[in-house]
Amino acid sequence: MDSPFPKSTSLPGEGRIVVKLSPNEISALESMTYQYPLKLISPDSAAEQGSVLVFLLSYGGGLVGGDQINLSIDIRPRARLSIVTQGHTKIFRPTTLDIVTRQNLNVQIKDRAALCLLPDPVQPFESSVYEQVQVFKLTSGASLCLLDWVTQGRTACGENWSFGRWIGCNEIWSTSDAPTSKDRLLVRDTVILNSKNRPHGSPSLRESMYGHAVIGTLILRGPMTKSIGEFFLSEFGAMPRIGARDFRSAETREREEAISQSPLEHWRTKRLEEERNKQVLWSAANVRGCIIVKFGAATVEAARNWIGSMLMQEGSIGREFGEQALMCVR
């Protein structure tokens, strides 16, 4: 018997989000569609939220071998979108290593619009194979805050960078609505973690991570992230240089710091101590107008607390997108 309903034109794993600015000056969903194994949930928007909030989910909390996710996002002029998750995105092991789990994200951000993508980290299981490509095309007045991070796996199961392969590629493009203009590539940041096909004599993937349980990248671009980008650059510039020594005694240092420190300097001192104790390493640089922050830590919680403390100390992400945009880094 033929179905009375029209056939679906979308494929498994496909999704699309369109966000617009409503007449009452509140960002709102114009449309949102998805197909298994992708799942998207968006609570009702309110003026005080600052942006539309969308949860990026998958059935069962992860992706099984061979799953293909293709999500496209279109953010209309002056609209704002925040994307979060409800836990680590788990990558389950395939039956054979030639089965690849893939996730592709294509985003268009129009003039004075913005996207804040601060998800939980990806957690690849032992022998899993995962490839991710995220492409962001921004007009000159658009803004982007992107966090992309990956963990060592399930430590409770003894996993320590035991997956087969993990590839993450983030591209930032400058674009224009002018018919004769061409898109310009600003940044292509690719991380390749391969535990199987390593050069002869090179250390294993686990050894090359030097005790880190998580590594990640934060990319900032546009007027809405200008303040937080400058904050990262300033804090990185204020860090003690390699080889620098403080010849004061611990008692003298504590006494002088307690007397002369401003609130920011006091916070910085505590943060630097936490970075030493929790083995947090990071760097920040300006690349073609994009602020690129690279970081790693001995535990996932140390990385989460560090990136969250940086974003909340400066405060502009919460003000521009709403506090709900930071839920995955608290």
Side-chain angles (χ1 to χ4, degrees), residues 201-237:
S202 66
S204 66
L205 176 60
R206 180 184 306 175
E207 293 169 338
S208 67
M209 303 310 290
Y210 294 97
H212 284 145
V214 57
I215 61 170
T217 303
L218 178 72
I219 301 179
L220 305 165
R221 180 172 175 81
M224 290 187 200
T225 62
K226 184 176 186 292
S227 177
I228 184 63
E230 292 175 346
F231 179 75
F232 271 100
L233 293 176
S234 174
E235 288 302 306
F236 183 64

Side-chain angles (χ1 to χ4, degrees), residues 264-299:
L264 176 60
E265 290 170 335
H266 180 66
W267 170 83
R268 182 184 296 140
T269 299
K270 292 182 62 177
R271 195 204 78 229
L272 290 173
E273 183 178 356
E274 283 288 308
E275 289 177 4
R276 287 191 294 268
N277 294 337
K278 301 296 178 62
Q279 301 177 47
V280 178
L281 297 177
W282 67 283
S283 65
N286 189 327
V287 181
R288 295 180 181 174
C290 301
I291 306 302
I292 311 295
V293 180
K294 293 285 186 175
F295 64 92
T299 67

Side-chain angles (χ1 to χ4, degrees), residues 2-191:
D2 294 335
S3 172
F5 301 102
K7 292 184 177 180
S8 173
T9 57
S10 61
L11 299 173
E14 282 195 351
R16 178 170 171 79
I17 302 171
V18 181
V19 179
K20 65 178 182 181
L21 191 71
S22 63
N24 59 354
E25 299 293 311
I26 297 176
S27 296
L29 279 175
E30 180 176 303
S31 64
M32 185 172 73
T33 60
Y34 59 89
Q35 288 275 18
Y36 177 91
L38 174 65
K39 186 174 184 180
L40 303 171
I41 297 177
S42 179
D44 292 336
S45 298
E48 62 273 12
Q49 284 184 336
S51 64
V52 172
L53 180 66
V54 173
F55 287 88
L56 177 61
L57 310 172
S58 55
Y59 292 84
L63 302 173
V64 301
D67 277 349
Q68 310 284 316
I69 300 296
N70 294 286
L71 175 62
S72 64
I73 299 174
D74 192 348
I75 308 176
R76 309 293 194 200
R78 300 174 57 205
R80 301 180 190 182
L81 171 65
S82 298
I83 296 180
V84 295
T85 54
Q86 287 187 324
H88 295 187
T89 299
K90 303 173 181 64
I91 310 300
F92 295 96
R93 64 183 298 174
T95 54
T96 61
L97 291 180
D98 60 341
I99 299 177
V100 181
T101 302
R102 290 187 173 89
Q103 184 161 278
N104 299 307
L105 176 63
N106 288 281
V107 181
Q108 298 273 353
I109 310 177
K110 298 301 183 180
D111 189 46
R112 298 171 63 190
L115 170 65
C116 181
L117 177 53
L118 295 173
D120 291 286
V122 176
Q123 185 183 48
F125 288 6
E126 183 175 1
S127 300
S128 63
V129 181
Y130 178 74
E131 296 180 3
Q132 170 184 286
V133 177
Q134 301 185 132
V135 179
F136 303 86
K137 294 189 175 183
L138 291 74
T139 62
S140 59
S143 300
L144 171 67
C145 175
L146 164 67
L147 176 61
D148 185 20
W149 48 337
V150 57
T151 78
Q152 66 191 140
R154 298 169 295 178
T155 55
C157 298
E159 296 177 356
N160 188 2
W161 304 106
S162 308
F163 49 81
R165 185 172 73 250
W166 188 94
I167 298 177
C169 176
N170 294 301
E171 294 184 359
I172 313 298
W173 292 76
S174 175
T175 186
S176 172
D177 292 329
T180 58
S181 66
K182 292 184 178 180
D183 296 345
R184 184 165 66 98
L185 178 63
L186 301 175
V187 171
R188 177 181 286 126
D189 181 82
T190 303
V191 176

